[in-house]
Amino acid sequence: MRNAFADELTQLSKVDERLVLLSGDIGNRLFDKFKDIDEKRFLNCGIAEANMMGVAAGLALSGLRPFVYTITPFTTTRCFEQIRVDVCYQNVPVVIVGTGSGLSYAELGPTHHSLEDLAIMRTLPGMQIFAPCDTNELRMIMRAVLQSDKPAYIRIGKKGEPDIHSKSLRLTTGEAIIVRPGERIALLSVGSMMEESLKAADILAEQGVLAEIVSFHTVKPLDVTYLSGAMERFELIATVEEHSLLGGFGSAVAEWMVATENRIPLVNFGTADEFMHEVGHQAYARQKYGLTAKNIAYQILSRI
């Protein structure tokens, strides 16, 4: 995902001279091709993310299109005040990119986990929130946000997530994509959980349950058109995200259901309201929090 981000950014910079990249002291070699175009458009802001976000807001106010890039908790929770006041209050088109989101850096401990970012970003007025499931969605989202005049946050993984879509993918902000049509159950997946969601659907199919798999690449604005239709078509909806159960995508769907008085069973899969103190890689962490295909399928089967 990181390589696709760097490549797409390089391609976009060739046709849009407003594009600049601010890095929090990571990925310097990753962006060598970007720097070859114009090294002055690459700014290594060091480990000073609050300052980096303020600089990005100032560049946006000056007519440039800054992308801010570093590991997810450092570009979200560490500099939240600057995102809120400098970026969102000014309503400037800064694109914030968090790499290694969720539990991608599970083995490095809670300082590198990002299980609250969707929740806090959702509270910011005007903020668009994206979580691509593969490189094709990521490239389409980057092209879309470059044409937008609003702040945006893109949450990406770093564990070699497989491509789900073809390169001819068409993507519209706020419109979910049906990856695999189905009936009875809708599995709404966010970001890097797509592969596991598809595996869960395979297990359900073996039990005679055809689940529809949907990529919610846009968490905000929420695709309420799809959700409204889903209320009529399915007997249960499940959300799957590598994020806390509090405040993330599942919460957004639940809030919408309550507000619109739509009532069908909803099952949310995410992490518990706790820090993971033990050390383990991403697969271990997903097993701990039930974010596995086997558990997702089992929990759904137990509710229908």
Side-chain angles (χ1 to χ4, degrees), residues 11 35 47 59 65 67 102 107 110 129 153 169 177 179 181 189-190 199 214 229 234 249 253 267 280 292:
Q11 300 308 316
K35 288 182 281 189
I47 306 175
L59 293 173
R65 292 303 179 101
F67 279 64
E107 67 274 17
I129 303 175
Y153 169 54
L169 172 71
I177 298 174
V179 175
S189 183
V190 172
K199 291 178 180 177
V214 186
F234 301 106
F249 172 67
V253 174
V267 182
T292 63

Side-chain angles (χ1 to χ4, degrees), residues 155-176:
R155 180 188 213 254
I156 63 176
K158 69 170 291 291
K159 293 294 186 181
E161 292 80 5
D163 278 343
I164 304 299
H165 306 289
S166 69
K167 293 184 178 179
S168 61
L169 172 71
R170 300 184 67 179
L171 180 149
T172 301
T173 297
E175 293 185 11

